[in-house]
């Protein structure tokens, strides 16, 4: 296959709900599946499960799965709608658990499950969501989702464990950070695309191309997420911010900020980081210093490179509405403020 090389777009703000209008019916079907899978939740867990379901706001992963299935050829069949809902459920479960680990109060502009019902209940709600997802995958005729998503969740967990193990490690290198976010975030993006392509009847080549697109998109998503944690506005982003600095996570903006210091200033920079870990004022001071330093722009640059790689994966696909929508979603990931 051949085609033109796409450039990373730098254009008008992307309005995701408007962009997804052409696949609104597909997304509605995924939404119905999502609720169907959760329909037998017990009366005791129903309210908490419904609350957590509000966390899937932009429906990016379902859109990616549907677009991959349409590119693969078969379109959004019953099984494609199911697998899109399953991936979204797994994503929701990880967010419920992540908010416990990060001590976060707000997600998607509403209270986190841990704040509303406590950590104990939140662990169990995450597990309920996760078990529903796995049950639904097990009932698909084709076992691909059960196997592939089991591997994916393993990768997500390894990424999280890796992240925990390097907490407060100021020597963390960019390559190791990238490996962490490959696991904790990019793997599920990749899975959203590969699952859609598989259940949409795609060839191995299409699965591989779209999977690599998903990987790079997910990498960019997490890099921008980590930049927003430093510079974003909580009311706009709709979730607790600043948790990376206060929890001692060495994310790309901080790695680049530290790396920008000449040898003579490194000790002072390290002291400022340690101060940020010790109190709220220190974290705010460091965030301000990072915002003034150029490290955030250089973080955006890393995200832009990932998006360029993502677009490169699409370059060999024939032009279509679906390919344009994937390109537009990639553009959104780069410019998003929420
Ligand atoms: C967001 O990170 C978190 C993730 C991408 C993955 C979290 C995964 C787990 C906690 C494992 C749980 C697994 C299962 C199967 C239930 P972040 O804190 O950087 O992003 P945020 O700003 O959205 O909180
Ligand atoms: Mg978090």
């Amino acid at each position: 296959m051949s085609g033109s090389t796409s450039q990373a777009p730098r254009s008008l703000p992307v309005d995701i709900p408007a962009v997804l209008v052409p696949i609104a019916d597909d997304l509605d079907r995924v939404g119905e599946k999502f609720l169907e899978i959760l329909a037998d939740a017990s009366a005791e867990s129903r309210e908490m499960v419904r609350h957590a379901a509000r966390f899937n706001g932009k429906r990016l992963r379902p859109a990616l799965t549907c677009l991959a299935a349409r590119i693969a050829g078969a379109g959004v069949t019953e099984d494609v709608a199911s697998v899109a809902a399953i991936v979204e459920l797994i994503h929701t479960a990880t967010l419920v658990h992540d908010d416990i680990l990060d001590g976060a109060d707000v997600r998607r502009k509403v209270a986190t499950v841990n704040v509303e019902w406590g950590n104990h209940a939140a662990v169990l709600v995450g597990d309920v969501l996760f078990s529903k997802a796995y049950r639904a995958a097990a009932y698909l005729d084709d076992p691909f989702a059960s196997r592939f998503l089991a591997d994916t969740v393993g990768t997500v967990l390894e990424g999280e464990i890796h992240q925990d193990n390097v907490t407060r490690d100021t020597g963390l290198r960019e390559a190791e950070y990238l490996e962490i976010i490959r696991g904790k975030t990019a793997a599920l993006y990749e899975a959203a695309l590969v699952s859609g392509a598989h259940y949409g009847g795609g060839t191995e080549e299409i699965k591989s191309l779209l999977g690599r697109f998903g990987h790079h998109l997910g990498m960019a998503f997490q890099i921008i997420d980590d930049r927003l944690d430093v510079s974003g506005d909580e009311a706009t982003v709709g979730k607790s911010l600043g948790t990376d600095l206060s929890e001692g996570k060495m994310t790309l903006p901080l790695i680049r900020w530290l790396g920008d210091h000449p040898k003579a200033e490194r000790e002072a920079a390290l002291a400022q980081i340690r101060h940020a870990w010790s109190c709220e004022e220190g974290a705010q001071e460091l965030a301000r210093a990072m915002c003034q330093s150029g490290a955030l722009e250089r973080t955006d640059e890393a995200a832009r490179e990932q998006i360029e790689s993502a677009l490169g994966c699409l370059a060999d696909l024939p032009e279509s509405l679906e390919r344009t929508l994937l390109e537009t979603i990639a553009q959104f990931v780069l410019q998003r403020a929420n």
Side-chain angles (χ1 to χ4, degrees):
M1 281 196 275
S2 69
S4 60
T5 305
S6 307
Q7 293 296 310
R10 297 160 199 253
S11 44
L12 294 170
V14 175
D15 174 2
I16 278 293
V19 166
L20 298 182
V21 164
I23 58 164
D25 289 348
D26 292 343
L27 291 175
D28 286 348
R29 286 175 54 217
V30 176
E32 282 160 20
K33 281 280 177 204
F34 188 92
L35 295 177
E36 211 177 292
I37 295 170
L38 292 176
D40 65 350
S42 71
E44 285 87 358
S45 65
R46 197 164 301 139
E47 195 191 343
M48 297 186 283
V49 161
R50 281 202 186 134
H51 185 88
R54 294 163 73 181
F55 296 161
N56 43 49
K58 292 185 282 287
R59 301 189 293 177
L60 281 186
R61 290 167 195 76
L64 294 169
T65 304
C66 292
L67 290 169
R70 288 165 64 126
I71 289 173
V76 182
T77 61
E78 202 70 4
D79 281 358
V80 169
S82 292
V83 82
I86 290 165
V87 170
E88 194 64 353
L89 268 171
I90 294 173
H91 170 60
T92 310
T94 68
L95 294 182
V96 171
H97 281 185
D98 180 69
D99 286 335
I100 304 167
L101 297 176
D102 290 350
D105 301 332
V106 182
R107 165 84 58 190
R108 291 251 139 246
K109 303 192 179 177
V110 295
T112 53
V113 177
N114 43 298
V115 157
E116 199 70 32
W117 289 280
N119 283 353
H120 194 121
V123 170
L124 298 172
V125 170
D127 289 346
V128 168
L129 294 166
F130 192 51
S131 73
K132 299 287 178 205
Y134 264 88
R135 185 168 180 272
Y139 276 94
L140 293 175
D141 287 338
D142 179 344
F144 180 82
S146 295
R147 294 171 187 175
F148 186 67
L149 294 177
D151 284 343
T152 300
V153 170
T155 305
V156 172
L157 289 165
E158 290 301 336
E160 280 289 310
I161 290 169
H162 191 168
Q163 176 174 264
D164 268 359
N165 288 345
V166 295
T167 300
R168 298 181 184 223
D169 176 356
T170 51
L172 191 78
R173 307 255 174 203
E174 285 196 18
E176 204 171 341
Y177 161 83
L178 293 174
E179 181 55 21
I180 290 168
I181 68 168
R182 180 191 71 80
K184 76 173 211 176
T185 304
L188 199 56
Y189 270 91
E190 184 176 339
L193 272 296
V194 173
S195 304
H198 179 87
Y199 285 93
T203 60
E204 288 304 316
E205 188 190 0
I206 290 286
K207 276 160 55 174
S208 163
L209 275 180
L210 292 177
R212 282 194 289 117
F213 169 82
H215 159 80
H216 290 296
L217 188 74
M219 296 293 283
F221 186 93
Q222 187 62 48
I223 292 170
I224 296 292
D225 206 69
D226 291 342
R227 199 259 291 145
L228 286 173
D229 197 76
V230 179
S231 67
D233 165 39
E234 263 187 31
T236 311
V237 181
K239 63 183 177 184
S240 301
L241 297 177
T243 57
D244 293 345
L245 285 185
S246 51
E247 298 283 307
K249 276 190 208 166
M250 291 296 295
T251 61
L252 194 60
L254 189 53
I255 295 172
R256 292 207 163 175
W257 178 81
L258 181 60
D260 282 345
H261 288 77
K263 218 169 172 190
E265 292 170 18
R266 195 175 157 85
E267 262 321 305
L270 287 171
Q272 188 164 2
I273 292 175
R274 283 192 286 271
H275 183 55
W277 293 339
S278 71
C279 64
E280 185 54 33
E281 297 73 47
Q284 284 173 8
E285 231 171 75
L286 178 55
R288 273 194 298 276
M290 289 168 73
C291 288
Q292 288 161 6
S293 71
L296 302 188
E297 287 73 13
R298 297 201 315 103
T299 300
D300 287 344
E301 196 48 50
R304 189 167 297 116
E305 283 164 19
Q306 292 289 344
I307 290 299
E308 275 167 12
S309 300
L311 294 174
C313 298
L314 301 181
D316 282 344
L317 295 176
E319 282 189 25
S320 64
L321 165 73
E322 288 74 15
R323 180 181 136 174
T324 303
L325 292 184
L326 289 180
E327 288 167 350
T328 310
I329 290 172
Q331 180 185 342
F332 166 75
V333 163
L334 208 48
Q335 59 175 230
R336 74 193 180 95
N338 66 11

